[in-house]
Amino acid sequence: MIDLHCHILPGIDDGAHNLSDSIKMAKKAVSQGITHILCTPHHNSSYENPKSKVLLQVADLQVELTKRNIPLILYEAQEVRIFEHLMSEIDQDDILFADVSDRYLMLEFPTESIPDYTNQLVRQLINRGITPIIVHPERYKLFQSDPALLENYLRMGCLAQLTAPSIVGAYGKKIQKLSHYFVKNSMIQMLGSDAHNVDSRNFYLAEAYEIIKKEYGEGKIDYYDRVAKDIINGDNISLRRFRG
Amino acid sequence: MSLRKGEDVMGIFHKGKKDDKPNPVSLITMFNKRSVISEQCRTIRSNIRFSMVDKDLKSLVITSAGFNEGKSTVANNLAVVFADAGLKTLLVDADLRKPTADLTWALSRDEGLSNLLVDKTSNYENYVSKTKVEGLFVLTSGHVPPNPSELLGTERMQEILQTLTQNFDLVIFDTPPLTAVTDAQILASRTDGTILVVRERQRDKREIMLSKQLLDMAQANILGVVFNGTKASRDDYYYYGSKS
């Protein structure tokens, strides 16, 4: 399995605090059946993690994993909080994409409200050939009040990533219900753990896959797996029509 | 989220206290740049900029339907985040009836806008104060005059506005409520953009509609609405809770 969303890098955001936390997380990931992790540290006003910094961190942690014979391959990316000057940071080469061809970008909104300028910014990204991947749509208030609004972003050309613990129920019934709605209506194209530690914000990726397989069939899981690979490789992904 | 057709909600603000006496406003954007409120302020800043991409935005009026909606809080904090973004910003306390900027910034109210208006030979430089925020300047109300609307409607005010916009990148006016007096209308008709602050559960719809009409009559360019005082959702915990 590939985990497309993880705060495993030590000491650079609210995920792993130190190397020992990272190793604990890595072991847990392996026990879940995860073989590859896309490292997505926060990049926002609280945690500034520009590309150059993340690249070094990923290389360092990979060395530590190899030393300990932990069979896990790390890739570098960011979880980018939407902000006004995103385009100029891309120009300055401070932004990391999910793939080396700079095609897929993990984009996060504030929980409370999605800024009005989002549409303009998303269009600018798409016009540049960048596909924004909206992370944890199930946690935004806007989509909680009207789940169909996510469709607007999908129509514009965004993708959406569900957080595994959400569908397992780790964040409460409301978010769990919404997660099922998104899965059922094919409004998300991939999963990620968004693991920050091995306690309150654990992986749950295996559990989520199990639930989805049971309720919606193996087809969905195969699709998520393929999308994850395509994203990491910067390949085209085959889109399924949402709502059925 | 939108209050009514045609008006965008530019951002959401939490908390705020109620009192009839003039009080200094909380400068949370200055003291806690990482708070959710500060992020909302920056989002409002970005929304304003994106809404004015085609035009030059040099002067901005912040007003509301009635009292206690948070105009001054929004005006002062927006001024801070605009200055943070590198704009030479001037906050003008044009609420000559219930001024607060002198209290907020610990400045004298003896000399300010009203003096500048009355004394035609005076220069704005003598009345504008520097603040602790790099790039942010404040012009207090000055002595509370008997005839604020009249003063704000004079040719002299037009002159002052011109001088100020020539010397600052952005001039933000804190004004009295729309439904009480005509001051805000007068200023809104002479500036590039107007923002209406609406506090949750404070005004009924009719008063807000009336405010919109008053601004339309003044041919104000309404950029949007800042919705103030909503309850922060508990979901924030999953987010940048310091816990995680």
Side-chain angles (χ1 to χ4, degrees):
Chain A
M1 271 192 301
I2 298 171
D3 184 1
L4 287 172
H5 192 150
C6 190
H7 299 267
I8 193 172
L9 297 176
I12 64 171
D13 64 7
D14 56 344
H17 295 302
N18 48 44
L19 182 61
S20 121
D21 284 353
S22 301
I23 299 299
K24 269 186 224 154
M25 287 176 74
K27 285 181 177 160
K28 177 69 187 176
V30 171
S31 79
Q32 286 253 311
I34 295 168
T35 51
H36 300 74
I37 284 183
L38 187 66
C39 303
T40 50
H42 289 294
H43 184 51
N44 57 34
S45 58
S46 301
Y47 305 106
E48 278 184 35
N49 289 309
K51 181 174 177 175
S52 52
K53 180 171 162 190
V54 179
L55 285 172
L56 289 174
Q57 286 263 346
V58 170
D60 286 351
L61 184 58
Q62 187 71 70
V63 168
E64 297 294 336
L65 296 181
T66 311
K67 245 196 253 171
R68 291 168 177 77
N69 286 317
I70 299 171
L72 195 59
I73 295 169
L74 303 179
Y75 297 120
E76 69 280 356
Q78 283 167 337
E79 177 178 9
V80 180
R81 179 78 149 208
I82 190 164
F83 69 113
E84 191 182 329
H85 304 292
L86 177 58
M87 299 310 288
S88 55
E89 274 207 16
I90 291 174
D91 293 336
Q92 289 159 26
D93 205 22
D94 279 334
I95 298 297
L96 262 169
F97 292 76
D99 57 307
V100 288
S101 43
D102 290 3
R103 189 164 170 193
Y104 296 107
L105 179 74
M106 300 291 179
L107 189 63
E108 182 198 42
F109 300 139
T111 313
E112 291 289 319
S113 64
I114 296 178
D116 290 337
Y117 68 85
T118 302
N119 287 9
Q120 276 165 278
L121 195 60
V122 163
R123 257 182 227 113
Q124 286 174 10
L125 288 166
I126 288 170
N127 288 342
R128 265 179 83 151
I130 296 165
T131 301
I133 296 172
I134 299 171
V135 298
H136 43 69
E138 75 281 7
R139 280 198 236 147
Y140 303 128
K141 269 190 157 179
L142 182 70
F143 300 146
Q144 286 169 359
S145 62
D146 186 358
L149 288 176
L150 178 58
E151 285 176 22
N152 298 341
Y153 294 94
L154 299 175
R155 280 204 194 89
M156 285 169 80
C158 294
L159 300 172
Q161 180 191 72
L162 184 77
T163 311
S166 295
I167 200 159
V168 175
Y171 297 147
K173 283 244 159 63
K174 193 169 82 178
I175 286 178
Q176 187 177 27
K177 212 175 135 198
L178 183 57
S179 304
H180 276 285
Y181 176 90
F182 285 154
V183 169
K184 192 174 157 203
N185 293 297
S186 302
M187 290 169 75
I188 55 120
Q189 294 75 38
M190 71 202 83
L191 258 57
S193 76
D194 198 6
H196 282 60
N197 50 51
V198 290
D199 310 309
S200 59
R201 299 190 65 180
N202 213 325
F203 287 88
Y204 295 109
L205 200 58
E207 291 85 345
Y209 268 45
E210 200 51 45
I211 288 171
I212 294 169
K213 194 159 87 184
K214 229 172 166 178
E215 291 208 27
Y216 306 98
E218 197 124 6
K220 290 242 188 239
I221 299 302
D222 292 343
Y223 177 67
Y224 297 153
D225 273 342
R226 212 166 48 241
V227 168
K229 253 178 233 153
D230 289 341
I231 284 172
I232 297 268
N233 290 329
D235 291 336
N236 289 336
I237 71 160
S238 68
L239 278 176
R240 292 195 165 177
R241 232 178 352 154
F242 37 92
R243 274 199 186 285
Chain B
M1 202 68 74
S2 46
L3 285 165
R4 56 189 184 282
K5 278 166 240 140
E7 235 61 69
D8 296 329
V9 173
M10 304 203 87
I12 296 175
F13 236 61
H14 304 298
K15 280 196 326 206
K17 64 178 172 190
K18 220 170 132 180
D19 204 331
D20 280 337
K21 287 199 310 287
N23 274 313
V25 305
S26 159
L27 293 171
I28 185 149
T29 44
M30 187 173 147
F31 296 111
N32 188 355
K33 292 195 187 299
R34 292 179 175 187
S35 70
V36 174
I37 300 179
S38 300
E39 183 178 23
Q40 284 293 342
C41 279
R42 287 191 294 270
T43 298
I44 295 167
R45 177 189 72 200
S46 303
N47 282 337
I48 291 170
R49 283 185 159 181
F50 272 87
S51 71
M52 294 290 287
V53 274
D54 313 326
K55 285 168 273 177
D56 220 13
L57 176 73
K58 299 283 289 177
S59 54
L60 192 58
V61 160
I62 315 290
T63 190
S64 63
F67 291 103
N68 291 327
E69 304 217 50
K71 281 179 308 296
S72 302
T73 306
V74 171
N76 282 274
N77 283 286
L78 271 183
V80 172
V81 294
F82 269 109
D84 281 346
L87 265 67
K88 189 181 174 195
T89 306
L90 176 68
L91 176 91
V92 180
D93 192 351
D95 189 344
L96 300 179
R97 297 159 197 270
K98 202 176 137 187
T100 54
D102 51 313
L103 299 168
T104 301
W105 297 96
L107 296 168
S108 157
R109 209 215 283 165
D110 293 340
E111 294 184 322
L113 179 61
S114 61
N115 309 70
L116 196 55
L117 282 164
V118 174
D119 181 359
K120 293 192 174 141
T121 59
S122 62
N123 188 316
Y124 79 94
E125 283 173 320
N126 301 331
Y127 297 111
V128 165
S129 310
K130 254 186 161 168
T131 67
K132 278 181 209 150
V133 179
E134 171 95 32
L136 177 61
F137 300 81
V138 172
L139 177 60
T140 63
S141 62
H143 277 303
V144 175
N147 53 347
S149 308
E150 243 170 74
L151 279 179
L152 293 170
T154 54
E155 197 55 38
R156 170 72 179 155
M157 181 65 211
Q158 194 66 27
E159 265 172 49
I160 294 171
L161 186 61
Q162 223 166 45
T163 318
L164 295 179
T165 49
Q166 275 162 12
N167 287 283
F168 292 89
D169 298 325
L170 179 66
V171 183
I172 297 177
F173 291 93
D174 185 8
T175 65
L178 280 161
T179 54
V181 289
T182 57
D183 305 15
Q185 253 180 302
I186 293 166
L187 285 170
S189 70
R190 294 176 160 196
T191 44
D192 300 331
T194 297
I195 285 176
L196 193 65
V197 179
V198 175
R199 187 187 289 281
E200 190 174 69
R201 280 169 232 245
Q202 182 87 354
R203 300 288 143 213
D204 64 31
K205 249 188 185 161
R206 273 173 319 182
E207 287 174 288
I208 298 167
M209 296 296 278
L210 174 63
S211 307
K212 162 90 160 70
Q213 281 167 16
L214 290 170
L215 288 172
D216 285 343
M217 269 158 56
Q219 293 182 313
N221 174 23
I222 308 176
L223 298 178
V225 172
V226 171
F227 199 44
N228 189 11
T230 63
K231 258 199 201 135
S233 85
R234 279 172 302 153
D235 300 350
D236 282 349
Y237 170 75
Y238 301 122
Y239 246 31
Y240 299 115
S242 43
K243 300 114 194 160
S244 104

